[in-house]
Amino acid sequence: MKLQVGDIAPDFRLKNQDEIEVGLKDLNSKGIVLYFYPKDNTPGCTTEAEDFTQLLEYFFQKGFVVVGISPDSPKSHKKFIENKGLKHILLSDLDKSIAEKYGAYGKKMMYGKEVFGIIRSTFIINKNGQISKVFYNVRVKGHVKEVLESL
């Protein structure tokens, strides 16, 4: 089920790249840009993560923290962060249960075939835990700028 503007963001507690559990409520003192991506160290996911890192200061200036979630392990996230110089939090959703709650896991088209997987998605969550903007089936090029401009 896809989330819509006005919905309360589903709660979560997931391990970050340092094996520390981070929850939605831990981040709620700021607005949150929460994005779901398929896999560490793949071309599109790397571009998206690097774009968020390059513009991270602008997100902070607008009162937002950026958090990425994928089914990769905390160890994989740590390597991804170190290899690419990323500066934002990455969380590990190994069983994809949080992605499912956000409507970011399900059927999608890949190379002309219908498969199950992570649906590249971004959610803007306000300080009250409410969804204020939703982006599903994201195309990487220009997406991060679009998110920033929508704040």
Side-chain angles (χ1 to χ4, degrees):
M1 185 170 84
K2 292 190 174 184
L3 295 177
Q4 297 180 13
V5 171
D7 289 346
I8 297 298
D11 198 16
F12 60 79
R13 285 203 73 70
L14 297 170
K15 288 187 178 179
N16 72 5
Q17 65 273 6
D18 297 316
E19 300 273 350
I20 296 168
E21 282 196 356
V22 176
L24 183 66
K25 292 178 179 140
D26 300 328
L27 304 167
N28 262 7
S29 65
K30 294 187 173 276
I32 303 165
V33 173
L34 184 69
Y35 75 99
F36 288 84
Y37 66 99
K39 186 142 183 65
D40 291 343
N41 288 301
T42 56
C45 298
T46 297
T47 297
E48 184 176 27
E50 289 175 336
D51 288 353
F52 273 116
T53 290
Q54 286 176 352
L55 297 176
L56 197 60
E57 188 58 38
Y58 296 104
F59 285 99
F60 287 159
Q61 288 172 9
K62 290 182 177 270
F64 284 81
V65 62
V66 174
V67 178
I69 297 180
S70 83
D72 296 295
S73 69
K75 185 178 179 180
S76 175
H77 285 337
K78 190 165 188 79
K79 285 182 187 175
F80 188 35
I81 287 169
E82 289 170 355
N83 290 342
K84 303 300 179 184
L86 305 178
K87 295 181 180 161
H88 57 281
I89 300 167
L90 297 180
L91 299 178
S92 180
D93 183 20
L94 294 171
D95 64 2
K96 304 170 193 83
S97 63
I98 304 307
E100 282 187 66
K101 288 180 182 180
Y102 278 80
Y105 178 79
K107 284 183 187 179
K108 65 179 187 173
M109 294 302 288
M110 193 165 162
Y111 306 114
K113 290 185 177 181
E114 191 173 78
V115 297
F116 276 90
I118 296 295
I119 299 162
R120 194 180 302 276
S121 309
T122 303
F123 304 87
I124 298 173
I125 304 169
N126 67 27
K127 293 178 187 179
N128 300 319
Q130 194 173 37
I131 305 285
S132 57
K133 186 89 172 155
V134 175
F135 302 86
Y136 281 110
N137 298 308
V138 167
R139 295 211 181 272
V140 172
K141 187 174 181 173
H143 174 64
V144 174
K145 283 184 180 177
E146 180 186 9
V147 173
L148 184 60
E149 289 168 1
S150 76
L151 298 179

